[in-house]
Amino acid sequence: MARPARAVRWAALWMGVTAAVWLVVGLLLAVRWGSIERPSVSSRTLFPNGVMRIGIDASFPPFAVATGDDLYGLDVDMGKAIGLRLQIPTQFVNMGYDGLYDSLLSEQVDVLISALPIDYSRSRDFRFTLPYFNAGLVLIRDADQPIEGMEDLGGRSVSFEFGSDGDLVARAWLRRIRAFETRPYETPDYALDAVRLGISDAALVDAVSGRLYLRAHREWDARYSSVNDVLYGVAVRADDRELWRAVNGIIRTMLEDGSLEGIIARWF
């Protein structure tokens, strides 16, 4: 009876070793398969018209501005950079903001690059890339002010544009922390003037206004921190999966290699 039992044990051991070997082989094959460079979809396939048509509203500086027969701005530079990396010519189609999504659905344009906040409620019809700019609220103060965020405003003063998102957020924080003084102004620039001139301890403004102001007042040693997010992304049609993958991959690369920050720094 001992011999059959020993044979069974050897058979079980052999099956276990064989399974382990095949597992290792399978893992090696999987790694090898994952490392293989697969041919990407050609630009000609992505753009049958031979050009990347970009929907843009050129009325929002510094993202896009129309001058005569030319366009310039951050979004224009973004579109040109993406086209260059795809090795495809770019054509900007200037239109009103309200018509952007309809033009994409009706295939009048291929992508939208127009300071579009990423809106996942539209995901049935559109895909958004990784964000390339955060236009949310920022808190700006003198560099020597011990203020890192909204929670540090208790007992201090904050300025903002009357009726803006900054106004709403400041009043919401009044119910959460120790009281602070609110100082509404007619424009974000006036709110920032109040901080720079020592009238207010901090200003709560959108990132676009804040960064443009700091660019215009480089002598001011100021700091800013993000309060909330309003993320801008490139939009494509939901069924245009390959185009989304290509553009999203380019934006990811631009984030990693610093070229996106270089474009932003050119305008802010």
Side-chain angles (χ1 to χ4, degrees):
M1 296 296 294
R3 187 172 297 173
R6 184 180 301 171
V8 169
R9 287 197 298 273
W10 275 105
L13 179 60
W14 176 253
M15 291 176 64
V17 171
T18 302
V21 169
W22 278 111
L23 177 61
V24 172
V25 171
L27 289 173
L28 290 173
L29 286 173
V31 170
R32 174 60 179 164
W33 178 254
S35 66
I36 294 175
E37 282 273 344
R38 297 174 179 79
S40 59
V41 177
S42 70
S43 296
R44 193 65 182 177
T45 301
L46 294 175
F47 306 102
N49 296 311
V51 62
M52 180 168 66
R53 301 166 301 171
I54 302 171
I56 193 168
D57 171 21
S59 64
F60 184 36
F63 289 89
V65 180
T67 56
D69 58 354
D70 196 15
L71 302 175
Y72 67 88
L74 191 156
D75 283 339
V76 176
D77 286 353
M78 275 289 298
K80 290 179 178 178
I82 292 170
L84 187 63
R85 295 187 185 224
L86 285 173
Q87 298 182 344
I88 192 77
T90 53
Q91 175 187 341
F92 291 92
V93 183
N94 186 16
M95 66 187 75
Y97 189 87
D98 291 342
L100 288 170
Y101 283 111
D102 286 341
S103 72
L104 186 56
L105 275 181
S106 61
E107 301 187 19
Q108 298 175 52
V109 297
D110 303 301
V111 299
L112 300 179
I113 308 178
S114 192
L116 288 177
I118 294 174
D119 183 359
Y120 292 113
S121 69
R122 294 178 174 268
S123 59
R124 179 178 177 180
D125 297 315
F126 307 102
R127 289 177 182 269
F128 293 91
T129 64
L130 290 167
Y132 64 88
F133 188 85
N134 188 352
L137 293 174
V138 292
L139 193 66
I140 299 181
R141 68 278 182 190
D142 278 329
D144 59 0
Q145 276 281 5
I147 299 173
E148 296 299 327
M150 295 295 294
E151 63 277 5
D152 299 321
L153 287 177
R156 294 185 169 88
S157 59
V158 62
S159 55
F160 46 79
E161 180 186 11
F162 179 76
S164 66
D165 288 344
D167 188 338
L168 296 175
V169 169
R171 297 182 191 284
W173 273 89
L174 276 173
R175 299 190 293 269
R176 300 173 60 180
I177 63 173
R178 186 161 59 96
F180 55 86
E181 185 179 350
T182 58
R183 294 181 175 172
Y185 288 87
E186 292 181 0
T187 69
D189 281 4
Y190 290 167
L192 288 159
D193 282 341
V195 181
R196 184 172 57 86
L197 298 175
I199 300 169
S200 184
D201 293 316
L204 185 59
V205 298
D206 65 275
V208 175
S209 298
R211 293 181 70 152
L212 287 175
Y213 187 92
L214 293 178
R215 180 186 177 97
H217 296 84
R218 296 183 186 275
E219 78 288 350
W220 182 26
D221 188 11
R223 298 290 182 272
Y224 72 88
S225 53
S226 178
V227 174
N228 62 15
D229 295 327
V230 177
L231 303 175
Y232 292 169
V234 177
V236 303
R237 288 181 294 278
D239 58 357
D240 215 341
R241 189 184 301 268
E242 291 298 337
L243 178 55
W244 172 84
R245 185 176 290 117
V247 175
N248 193 63
I250 288 172
I251 292 177
R252 185 188 302 278
T253 300
M254 292 175 68
L255 284 165
E256 293 171 352
D257 66 18
S259 57
L260 177 56
E261 186 55 40
I263 290 175
I264 293 173
R266 191 179 307 156
W267 297 101
F268 289 98

